[in-house]
Amino acid sequence: MSAAAVATETGARLAAAEGLNATLHWSQASLDAEARRVDTLAGGSLRGMPIALKDNIVTADAPTTCASHILEGYVSPYDATAVTRLRAAGALIAAKTNMDEFAMGSSTEHSAFGRVRHPLDPSRVPGGSSGGSAALVAAGVVPAALGSETGGSVRQPASFCGVVGVKPSYGRVSRFGLVAFGSSLDCISVFGRSVDDASKVLATMSGHDPLDRTTLERAPMVAPAPRRDLAGVRIGLPREYFPADLDSGVAAALEHTKAAARQLGAELVDVSLPNSPYAVPTYYIVAPAEAAANLARYDGVRYGPRNVGPAGDIQALYQATRGQGFGPEVQRRILVGTYVLSAGYYEAYYGKAQRMRARIADDFRRAFAGGVDLLLTPTTPTPAFRAGEKTADPVSMYLADIFVCAISLAGLPALSLPVGRSEGLPVGAQLIAPFFEDERMLAAAAALERVVNAEAEVR
Ligand code: GLN
């Protein structure tokens, strides 16, 4: 197909998928402009591939709102480094996708612009916070999309929607142009229909960026050749991730995945990550603390709409702008984050959480040092839940991240692979690798992908 034909086809698919509410901005005119730009390139590893972006990744040719009223109408003066690299490789940026406001949430229900529908069942959520990107890939609108991870926001929706979701090691992909949530956790991450597609997109974006000093000065990632088998691979099963009360569909899908891994020659071993019970409470101190600091910049002066307030002084301007611009979940995070950082509480909350974060990272180091190459766990405790089920109780929403957020605290690479369906809804399995061993994880996932039937009912 010509790039122009891809642009036309993608526009038709985006229009047909409007009912999902998965996009916040796209236009046929900008798709056509992308096609004309791609035609001027000499080559490119992603030539002609349409890719959607979560709306917290900035682009100079479209708004970036983070699904928040506080950034309505904001257009960045530059492209994120990841986007610059994708464009240079020939990708067409197709759309900006709906998400939980400022990436805070696990369902997209915290979007200021309404929730995304799960492509297989509109009464359910696609997961979050990168739910719009996950839904577009699952619905076959685009072959790949970018999301962001602070604590599972790509792996969890990938699992709910039945697509591949890959979070790289922290520091492999530049955060320049990713709107900051928790700077020590944030990673641009990828959804794909296959491991190979996701690997190629990730490899294209990866590598040192002088504009983000937390990117590692090592060679960029090379999309690994898929493994044919898993002979000689030792896979650890952290026992804390297989609780007795695990959802029966998720448990059955994981049994099916373990059998596939054994059949490919892998050796499965029991391991322990003893600090796992503290991952959610630790994450929900560290992430809001960093968010409270990062979101201080939305003051009605530097970005977006301004509300001067009744008194007309600067304090009233801040209060009116932030009070109306931020939704309830974002305000809750700012309050929690400010509290845990405040004098007198810092040691009891933030300091303690930082020490626990080090222990959680050490759990993973010990497991890998004990001789396992990868870890295998469920990605989510249940398949996609119904809209409205968890909005009344924030903690129940936070618990949707129970299997994904420890890995973010440890900075490790991890992915979710679709491995079966339970009552028609997709279930994902999570593979976790040691730091900077993203390629090992992707090569093994490609072998598993070939033998598990992700469309099959697991019971
Ligand atoms: N659900 C988590 C949260 O609400 C993760 C978010 C993310 O990874 N961006 O913070």
Side-chain angles (χ1 to χ4, degrees), residues 54 56 100 102-107 110 128-130 148-156 181 186 283-284 287-288 329 333 397-398 400-401 404-405 408:
K54 186 178 184 178
N56 61 350
D100 285 294
F102 281 102
M104 296 170 184
S106 306
S107 68
H110 299 313
S129 60
S130 318
S148 68
E149 278 241 3
T150 303
S153 275
V154 164
R155 288 166 285 154
Q156 187 257 17
F181 168 2
D186 295 343
Y283 172 83
Y284 280 97
E329 181 62 23
R333 304 279 180 118
M397 186 75 84
Y398 300 169
D401 305 332
V404 284
C405 64
S408 299

Side-chain angles (χ1 to χ4, degrees), residues 24-36:
L24 293 178
H25 336 279
W26 73 273
S27 74
Q28 191 60 52
S30 70
L31 271 165
D32 294 340
E34 281 290 86
R36 286 191 298 276

Side-chain angles (χ1 to χ4, degrees), residues 151 175 194 305:
R175 289 183 294 115
S194 68

